[in-house]
Amino acid sequence: MVTSRWTADPARSAAALRRRGPVLERAILEAALEQLSTVGWNGLTMEGVAAGAQTGKAAVYRRWPSKEDLVVDALQAGLPQVDSVPDLGSVREDLLELCRQMRDAMFSRPGSALLSVIHECDTLTAERFHSVIIQGIIEPGVELIKEVISRGITRGDVRQDAVGASVCDVIPAMMMYRSKVCGSEWRDEDLVELIDEVMVPLLLRHAD
């Protein structure tokens, strides 16, 4: 248990308690992400976060008055970013690579922390995290999908009117639905099926 490690190493404990400012705050945010990814939203406590960060719970409450405040900042600080997609020569390969990156981000520790919030929070609580989810995950992912589709239009293998909101929503919507409702971990073959059976037929130029 965390408590026993804390008690067993007084020197380490004393050093941890002397931390101040950004170093301590980073440790607390990391501990919050760890709690979310292991015990989930319902299991996360301010006391548990304090123990994970090897500090007193007063240090946590001074900075974040509530569990919701702490988790918002932890997610904003730790959400994984998918910054770019290499040009692999076809819209199929580009989308597959993007999906792999999105899958890896989703099941990273910060991604697992976010999923625990999405899965376990009631509607009222979830509203606190809406902007974090939209601005930190959904919008960047959609922008990359638009980039890949636009690249395909330029190549001539995607229809000109394919860059629409509904088309760009398909991949994130499917990935979130399968993850939240079906518990899918998105194996490589699942991603291939999504691209080959849904996205490619949706994007291909129609025969004249």
Side-chain angles (χ1 to χ4, degrees):
M1 294 174 61
V2 172
T3 303
S4 64
R5 292 200 298 267
W6 171 261
T7 304
D9 192 347
R12 182 181 178 188
S13 301
L17 286 171
R18 286 195 297 270
R19 290 177 301 181
R20 296 289 187 272
V23 174
L24 178 57
E25 290 178 3
R26 180 73 253 174
I28 293 170
L29 294 174
E30 289 283 345
L33 288 177
E34 180 67 22
Q35 283 252 311
L36 282 170
S37 64
T38 53
V39 302
W41 167 262
N42 292 328
L44 181 145
T45 64
M46 301 292 263
E47 291 77 9
V49 170
Q54 297 187 342
T55 190
K57 65 180 181 180
V60 180
Y61 278 108
R62 275 197 302 271
R63 293 162 173 81
W64 295 279
S66 71
K67 174 176 167 176
E68 290 83 0
D69 294 326
L70 171 59
V71 170
V72 165
D73 281 358
L75 290 175
Q76 287 177 330
L79 282 177
Q81 300 295 318
V82 178
D83 297 320
S84 63
V85 182
D87 186 343
L88 300 176
S90 73
V91 71
R92 178 186 185 273
E93 294 304 320
D94 290 355
L95 286 175
L96 269 176
E97 175 59 24
L98 176 56
C99 283
R100 292 187 188 102
Q101 292 186 40
M102 292 173 69
R103 186 262 319 273
D104 292 345
M106 184 181 295
F107 292 103
S108 66
R109 187 183 65 167
S112 297
L114 176 64
L115 288 175
S116 78
V117 170
I118 294 172
H119 292 182
E120 298 178 33
C121 284
D122 57 43
T123 302
L124 183 61
T125 303
E127 290 178 0
R128 289 288 309 276
F129 305 104
H130 183 264
S131 62
V132 178
I133 295 167
I134 296 299
Q135 296 171 15
I137 295 292
I138 303 299
E139 288 179 350
V142 168
E143 286 304 311
L144 286 173
I145 292 167
K146 287 181 181 178
E147 178 185 323
V148 168
I149 293 174
S150 297
R151 193 186 294 164
I153 292 173
T154 301
R155 290 195 201 100
D157 58 354
V158 172
R159 58 187 174 85
Q160 291 288 327
D161 59 347
V163 188
S166 296
V167 173
C168 294
D169 281 344
V170 170
I171 289 175
M174 283 291 293
M175 293 188 77
M176 291 299 292
Y177 164 75
R178 288 275 191 90
S179 173
K180 182 172 182 177
V181 178
C182 307
S184 172
E185 295 186 357
W186 285 103
R187 301 167 299 174
D188 284 348
E189 51 264 42
D190 298 324
L191 297 176
V192 169
E193 179 181 299
L194 172 61
I195 299 306
D196 285 349
E197 297 187 13
V198 179
M199 291 304 297
V200 169
L202 191 60
L203 296 173
L204 285 180
R205 297 178 62 184
H206 301 302
D208 294 332

